[in-house]
Amino acid sequence: MSETSLPHVAANSLHGRPLRYYDFALAAFVTILLLSNLIGAAKLSVVDGFVFGSGILFFPIGYVLGDVLTEVYGYARARRCVWVGFCAMLFMAVMSAIVVAMPPFAGWSCAASDNELFADVFKASDAGTICQATYDSVFGSTWRIVAASIIAFWAGEFVNSYVLAKMKVWTKGKHLWTRTIGSTIFGQGVDSLIFYPLAFLGVWPAEQVGAVLVTNWALKVGWEVVLTPVTYAVVGFIKRREGLDIYDEGTDFTPFKAGV
């Protein structure tokens, strides 16, 4: 018996059955993915001497949704979400690069141009130049970091989804916490192993890259552990509303397969 005691359904046997919450889960997953990378990735914060990227406060919501998508709807539908997220991140990167590269209007006014801290700079320049510099600092990530982020997301999410789907079959739907935490250990491990060396090796000392890699991986796994009750609540609610429990028996786990 699964933890939800719902009908056990093979993922490839739904035959077009309507899924009430799948579209909402996909939209939420992509939204959080984009906002976390667009807003959260650029700012460093400090609390009691501990420096961290502010995005770490919201990235875990994406982990929970990724686990929910695979656990509730199966690997194939989670695979579709990963590809939608990948394409959305790629478009965001291209759009950001083009918008940042556009020449600024000299009279462009923003918070920085009206800030007294920039008064001396403003005397030697114009508002547009000041605003462009601050805009670039937020949205002007280097292509190396952007590429590393997109590749790491793609690989990490597929590993996370694969491990969770396989473990669900092995555990016969029991002990959800082992699947969510286990898949995060592997998925975020792959994500971190790809992102930090690709983005920073040669820019930071190798030992710093290794230290940040391990620290952030541990933080992400720790967040998954902390949010386990939330994952249980969300998974249980959606499964009951959908009225089924999907298992990836006979699923084609090829990342590049089209459809579900």
Side-chain angles (χ1 to χ4, degrees):
M1 295 288 289
S2 70
E3 291 179 345
T4 57
S5 299
L6 291 169
H8 177 133
V9 179
N12 57 5
S13 65
L14 292 177
H15 303 304
R17 180 191 186 281
L19 299 171
R20 302 172 64 182
Y21 292 95
Y22 174 72
D23 291 341
F24 295 107
L26 186 155
F29 176 78
V30 174
T31 299
I32 292 169
L33 172 68
L34 294 180
L35 293 179
S36 295
N37 281 275
L38 188 66
I39 299 174
K43 182 175 181 179
L44 290 177
S45 298
V46 57
V47 176
D48 292 332
F50 179 67
V51 181
F52 58 95
S54 300
I56 197 70
L57 299 174
F58 296 94
F59 281 135
I61 302 175
Y63 311 158
V64 172
L65 280 171
D67 290 342
V68 167
L69 281 162
T70 303
E71 173 69 23
V72 176
Y73 297 108
Y75 175 87
R77 289 168 181 80
R79 172 174 57 203
R80 177 180 291 181
C81 293
V82 174
W83 276 112
V84 172
F86 175 85
C87 292
M89 286 184 68
L90 194 61
F91 175 78
M92 182 181 72
V94 172
M95 179 177 174
S96 296
I98 293 173
V99 172
V100 168
M102 295 294 291
F105 170 57
W108 176 25
S109 180
C110 60
S113 64
D114 295 331
N115 194 318
E116 292 182 359
L117 294 174
F118 296 94
D120 291 337
V121 178
F122 187 70
K123 292 176 183 177
S125 184
D126 57 71
T129 300
I130 296 172
C131 294
Q132 175 66 22
T134 56
Y135 192 86
D136 184 67
S137 70
V138 176
F139 298 107
S141 298
T142 66
W143 273 104
R144 178 176 176 178
I145 293 177
V146 170
S149 178
I150 293 175
I151 295 170
F153 158 77
W154 183 87
E157 281 298 324
F158 270 122
V159 169
N160 181 85
S161 186
Y162 176 84
V163 171
L164 193 149
K166 283 290 189 181
M167 287 186 68
K168 184 174 183 179
V169 175
W170 299 339
T171 60
K172 298 180 181 179
K174 299 177 181 178
H175 313 305
L176 174 60
W177 66 271
T178 63
R179 303 195 290 281
T180 59
I181 296 173
S183 62
T184 298
I185 289 173
F186 286 98
Q188 291 304 319
V190 169
D191 184 295
S192 298
L193 283 170
I194 292 174
F195 175 72
Y196 290 102
L198 280 183
F200 301 113
L201 201 58
V203 179
W204 296 351
E207 57 271 18
Q208 183 179 357
V209 173
V212 173
L213 187 160
V214 172
T215 300
N216 279 273
W217 170 77
L219 282 171
K220 292 173 182 178
V221 174
W223 263 119
E224 184 67 59
V225 173
V226 170
L227 291 174
T228 294
V230 177
T231 306
Y232 265 82
V234 175
V235 165
F237 171 79
I238 298 179
K239 281 184 178 179
R240 288 191 298 272
R241 298 290 289 177
E242 296 287 10
L244 47 77
D245 197 6
I246 297 174
Y247 286 74
D248 281 291
E249 297 165 337
T251 296
D252 184 345
F253 286 95
T254 305
F256 301 100
K257 181 179 175 61
V260 295

